[in-house]
Amino acid sequence: DTGVSQNPRHKITKRGQNVTFRCDPISEHNRLYWYRQTLGQGPEFLTYFQNEAQLEKSRLLSDRFSAERPKGSFSTLEIQRTEQGDSAMYLCASRQTGPEQFFGPGTRLTVL
Amino acid sequence: AQTVTQSQPEMSVQEAETVTLSCTYDTSESDYYLFWYKQPPSRQMILVIRQEAYKQQNATENRFSVNFQKAAKSFSLKISDSQLGDAAMYFCAYRSYNAGGTSYGKLTFGQGTILTVHP
């Protein structure tokens, strides 16, 4: 069991640039979640995939955000035209049929 | 919509002592899960303990136990015999029991409590 992995671990970008993050869930997990965590706060739900289908998106996910999960394996989260308010930790979690979600280490985004 | 509130931004405890972290939540649902997650500095979040709302018995996992008061919508975490490795941010989280519909098993988190353990 290699756990949930996320890449990159840290990303520094300039305002207006596009960034893409990747999440590799635990191999047999067909359910995948993205959360955003700002400094000193709890994670907030962004979006949910079951296999390759994106079944729910939070209103936090503006038009500049897009997520994909081709073939129901890894997932990517892209932010276009980054803003300073996008600076946060982006967490990925996966699960199979049980209630527990297994989290990755996160990608910390800093927008200058 | 469900909300989770952790009213203690920071707590501290002496090594080997006991500490209790508080959590309250609001929901109109009768069946749900409650979790405590631990997030050490610069490390990934891990599950500490889970409670199903339909179970009257409080969950325990070694040194960790909960006090689940369903009527009061309260879910506190007790850490006994605190260790230096317990130092972390602790999050209380809520999940609907049914993972279908508009829930899909997503977690709603509280704001977190930073726990410091003094040697």
Side-chain angles (χ1 to χ4, degrees):
Chain A
D1 184 359
T2 58
V4 179
S5 61
Q6 293 187 245
N7 288 287
R9 294 291 307 276
H10 303 273
K11 178 70 176 179
I12 299 174
T13 190
K14 293 182 179 179
R15 188 177 55 185
Q17 297 294 304
N18 299 342
V19 294
T20 300
F21 312 140
R22 176 177 170 130
C23 170
D24 287 89
I26 294 172
S27 58
E28 64 270 23
H29 288 185
N30 63 344
R31 295 164 171 84
L32 186 146
Y33 303 80
W34 285 98
Y35 294 85
R36 183 172 69 185
Q37 184 180 16
T38 53
L39 199 61
Q41 299 297 314
E44 295 175 290
F45 169 77
L46 291 179
T47 191
Y48 165 71
F49 288 88
Q50 185 163 323
N51 299 310
E52 67 276 7
Q54 187 176 22
L55 297 183
E56 188 177 7
K57 295 192 292 185
S58 163
R59 52 186 163 80
L60 293 176
L61 216 64
S62 75
D63 292 345
R64 296 184 297 105
F65 288 70
S66 63
E68 294 182 339
R69 193 182 182 198
K71 302 179 183 177
S73 55
F74 69 92
S75 176
T76 59
L77 178 68
E78 180 183 16
I79 308 175
Q80 296 182 325
R81 305 181 304 280
T82 53
E83 301 173 355
Q84 288 186 327
D86 297 331
S87 295
M89 176 77 85
Y90 291 84
L91 297 171
C92 175
S94 70
R95 70 179 181 94
Q96 186 58 317
T97 54
E100 180 182 354
Q101 292 185 23
F102 294 82
F103 283 82
T107 294
R108 181 167 295 283
L109 173 66
T110 301
V111 182
L112 303 176
Chain B
Q2 294 80 27
T3 59
V4 178
T5 302
Q6 294 178 248
S7 58
Q8 305 157 317
E10 298 182 28
M11 292 285 285
S12 64
V13 63
Q14 291 293 131
E15 197 174 6
E17 297 294 308
T18 296
V19 64
T20 299
L21 308 184
S22 301
C23 172
T24 58
Y25 59 94
D26 190 27
T27 184
S28 58
E29 299 176 330
S30 58
D31 292 323
Y32 47 87
Y33 294 97
L34 294 166
F35 305 87
W36 279 98
Y37 277 89
K38 170 185 177 182
Q39 188 177 42
S42 301
R43 294 181 62 185
Q44 63 202 81
M45 200 166 332
I46 58 173
L47 180 68
V48 174
I49 199 165
R50 178 182 97 204
Q51 175 79 42
E52 289 88 340
Y54 65 85
K55 291 186 177 179
Q56 293 186 343
Q57 187 172 7
N58 289 325
T60 62
E61 287 287 343
N62 301 313
R63 298 182 296 107
F64 298 87
S65 62
V66 299
N67 183 4
F68 173 50
Q69 301 289 328
K70 190 173 183 179
K73 296 179 181 175
S74 170
F75 182 60
S76 61
L77 174 70
K78 185 172 81 171
I79 306 174
S80 303
D81 186 25
S82 297
Q83 301 176 0
L84 295 177
D86 295 334
M89 176 83 99
Y90 285 81
F91 291 100
C92 178
Y94 173 102
R95 201 210 93 159
S96 296
Y97 187 77
N98 292 316
T102 58
S103 169
Y104 296 116
K106 67 185 175 191
L107 298 174
T108 300
F109 287 87
Q111 304 91 323
T113 297
I114 299 172
L115 178 66
T116 302
V117 181
H118 298 289

